[in-house]
Amino acid sequence: MPTLTPIEAVDAAIAEEMRRDSTVLMFGEGTATKRHALLEEFGARRIRNTPLAEGIIAGTAVGAAGCGLRPVIDLLFAPFLCYAMDELVNSAGKLRYLSGGQFSFPLVTLAMTGGGWGVGAQHNHNNEAWFVHSPGLKVVMPSTPADFKGLLKTAIRDDNPVLFFMDIGLLYQPGEVPDGEHLVPLGQAAVRRRGGDVTLIAYGKTVHACAQAAETLAGEGIAAEVIDLRTLKPLDTVTIVDSVRKTGRLVVAHEANRLCGVGAEIAALVAEQAFAALRAPIVRLGGPDAPAASSYPLEQACAPSAEAIAAAARRLMRA
């Protein structure tokens, strides 16, 4: 099995889908400049640079999708999705419904997010929950190179618009990626580690912090189950609820602002469907309600660490 970084896995997924389906094309900020191999293989008609104009890029993708194409667009950094909100939320997310199903909008929007590069508040803002809250959109955020490829291939084939968030801190961390056809279903979480004492739920790079915490806890006789959501919408509620019913304890962690974040939705879900199984209060760990710092140490201090996750699990075990 080849070893690829998530950046390489994304390009592999796009190349395979473009070979398979002539309606797949890609355009965006620096697309042709950065992706030389794709440009060489598929030409300038299907791999195109655009101006730094996110609204125009997204609007063009919505129009292309409505006309039968399957565009993949790269808007670079997640905060600049603000410029494309009307096109993605108000058009791509709603027009299938408004047309009574006469049109579909199969498009994928790539955006880098999260800490790790010290790029500061205007380029670092974990805003994935905004799109989870928007009807008609699907939201994906993988944690492994294999899932970057498998989820992206599935997203390209989906008939709905998909926001594909790429955690900056993971983009150059290599891992094994299946060669050839490899699809990961949207809406299916992965249980990265089995355990019966406490459930740790995360997505993106925070999955790795949870895995590290689970390893530490194992040395103390605490068996933590680690769930990688992979897809934030549709959310795999069955895997979440089943795990909490088994362990009776839940820590949900993400780098995004804790206020009204994905963790709040998961906590509400568990309170509604597994309250009787809880042995201790739910713990949410997340970033502060503050812009991201440019300082790398400050940026890292705002993200849930493995130490903080392990400490939360210990508190629950004593409760």
Side-chain angles (χ1 to χ4, degrees):
M1 190 179 297
T3 298
L4 303 176
T5 66
I7 289 282
E8 294 167 334
V10 164
D11 280 3
I14 293 169
E16 289 177 16
E17 291 306 297
M18 291 186 75
R19 291 182 198 118
R20 187 189 62 82
D21 183 348
S22 62
T23 67
V24 178
L25 71 162
M26 182 177 192
F27 52 92
E29 297 168 354
T31 294
T33 306
K34 294 185 300 182
R35 295 179 160 89
H36 301 288
L38 293 176
L39 178 62
E40 183 174 344
E41 179 174 356
F42 300 103
R45 288 179 60 84
R46 295 178 70 189
I47 300 291
R48 300 182 70 91
N49 275 341
T50 65
L52 301 179
E54 289 80 3
I56 293 173
I57 298 167
T60 302
V62 173
C67 292
L69 300 177
R70 290 184 177 273
V72 179
I73 58 174
D74 189 349
L75 300 187
L76 294 184
F77 294 95
F80 301 114
L81 289 168
C82 293
Y83 293 112
M85 289 294 276
D86 182 56
E87 292 78 6
L88 295 175
V89 174
N90 220 22
S91 292
K94 297 178 182 175
L95 287 178
R96 189 174 189 184
Y97 168 79
L98 291 172
S99 70
Q102 295 181 79
F103 297 95
S104 59
F105 295 88
L107 68 94
V108 178
T109 302
L110 303 180
M112 295 185 291
T113 189
W117 289 2
V119 291
Q122 288 191 315
H123 288 73
N124 176 11
H125 186 163
N126 291 278
N127 55 20
E128 60 272 10
W130 298 357
F131 298 93
V132 174
H133 195 64
S134 300
L137 303 179
K138 296 185 178 183
V139 181
V140 174
M141 194 160 169
S143 72
T144 70
D147 279 355
F148 271 81
K149 178 181 177 182
L151 287 167
L152 181 54
K153 285 172 67 71
T154 304
I156 291 171
R157 299 182 192 188
D158 200 286
D159 283 337
N160 298 285
V162 179
L163 274 292
F164 195 94
F165 287 95
M166 304 189 297
D167 198 318
I168 280 176
L170 299 175
L171 293 182
Y172 291 96
Q173 295 184 15
E176 291 187 338
V177 178
D179 207 5
E181 186 77 338
H182 169 59
L183 297 171
V184 176
L186 304 188
Q188 187 174 101
V191 180
R192 300 297 184 193
R193 183 183 183 117
R194 298 284 177 182
D197 292 328
V198 58
T199 300
L200 310 178
I201 296 179
Y203 56 89
K205 77 163 77 66
T206 313
V207 172
H208 301 281
C210 286
Q212 188 179 343
E215 189 66 29
T216 300
L217 293 167
E220 303 168 16
I222 300 172
E225 182 148 293
V226 178
I227 294 177
D228 178 358
L229 293 177
R230 304 200 287 195
T231 304
L232 307 183
K233 194 168 77 173
L235 187 65
D236 185 353
T237 59
V238 173
T239 297
I240 294 169
V241 171
D242 285 352
S243 179
V244 176
R245 282 178 176 155
K246 178 177 67 174
T247 65
R249 303 175 183 89
L250 171 62
V251 178
V252 56
H254 51 61
E255 191 175 316
N257 186 349
R258 205 178 79 116
L259 183 65
C260 294
V262 171
E265 177 62 26
I266 292 171
L269 170 75
V270 170
E272 289 172 347
Q273 299 191 19
F275 184 78
L278 288 174
R279 302 178 186 178
I282 298 166
V283 174
R284 288 185 293 141
L285 299 176
D289 185 21
S294 298
S295 157
Y296 182 78
L298 289 178
E299 183 189 68
Q300 296 304 302
C302 292
S305 65
E307 293 77 15
I309 295 166
R314 291 188 198 100
R315 288 198 303 274
L316 293 188
M317 294 301 294
R318 292 194 295 267

